[in-house]
Amino acid sequence: MKNVLVIDDDPDMLDAIRVILEGANFSVTTCNDGVEGTQKAREKSFDLVITDILMPEKEGLETIMELKEFLPELPILAISSGGDNYTRRDTYLLMAKKLGATSSLEKPFTSQQLLKRVEFCLGKGFIQEQ
């Protein structure tokens, strides 16, 4: 069973992602911000991290940079709605990939879209990244 760490400040989003991934037989750990997320990643081994970009305490871009410093091979899936600004969301997701995220996914997304992107990040998928 693969271990996934999900970092998002929205409790409903955390719960939805947890339910989807557990239904696909993943072990899921959740946390509310990048500070807690990077701490958990230092304490436990994860096969994948899914992180939101816009969060309090430590936002997702900073979280990605820190995770890549001490776990350079760790796959990371960046997710974001960008608030009300779609251009900003696209910019954040592009920056996340440039900082080391394996892939990105725009919110809102379907269960199938999430699972396909997770498979891609874990090296099992067939999604062609741009």
Side-chain angles (χ1 to χ4, degrees):
M1 182 177 290
K2 298 284 186 183
N3 294 315
V4 180
L5 173 63
V6 182
I7 309 167
D8 199 313
D9 61 321
D10 179 346
D12 292 332
M13 181 58 68
L14 274 179
D15 191 49
I17 293 172
R18 181 188 55 75
V19 168
I20 293 166
L21 293 178
E22 287 179 349
N25 207 29
F26 289 93
S27 173
V28 181
T29 301
T30 61
C31 52
N32 300 315
D33 62 61
V35 172
E36 183 183 0
T38 53
Q39 180 181 349
K40 287 185 187 267
R42 289 180 187 275
E43 297 169 355
K44 181 179 175 182
S45 176
F46 292 98
D47 299 295
L48 173 67
V49 171
I50 300 173
T51 185
D52 188 22
I53 299 297
L54 300 176
M55 298 181 291
E57 302 299 322
K58 183 185 290 186
E59 51 85 22
L61 297 177
E62 186 179 357
T63 300
I64 291 167
M65 290 188 311
E66 186 173 334
L67 289 170
K68 284 300 185 176
E69 280 183 29
F70 68 93
L71 295 167
E73 302 302 317
L74 178 67
I76 299 173
L77 173 59
I79 59 174
S80 183
S81 65
D84 295 331
N85 187 324
Y86 294 111
T87 302
R88 184 171 65 181
R89 176 201 60 209
D90 293 343
T91 300
Y92 286 143
L93 293 175
L94 181 60
M95 288 175 61
K97 288 176 75 173
K98 288 184 178 190
L99 293 171
T102 309
S103 189
S104 62
L105 186 60
E106 300 171 0
K107 294 178 185 178
F109 46 78
T110 66
S111 300
Q112 184 179 15
Q113 288 170 323
L114 175 64
L115 291 173
K116 283 183 179 180
R117 201 53 56 106
V118 165
E119 287 178 4
F120 172 83
C121 289
L122 293 172
K124 299 178 185 176
F126 51 87
I127 296 172
Q128 295 291 320
E129 285 290 301
Q130 299 177 6

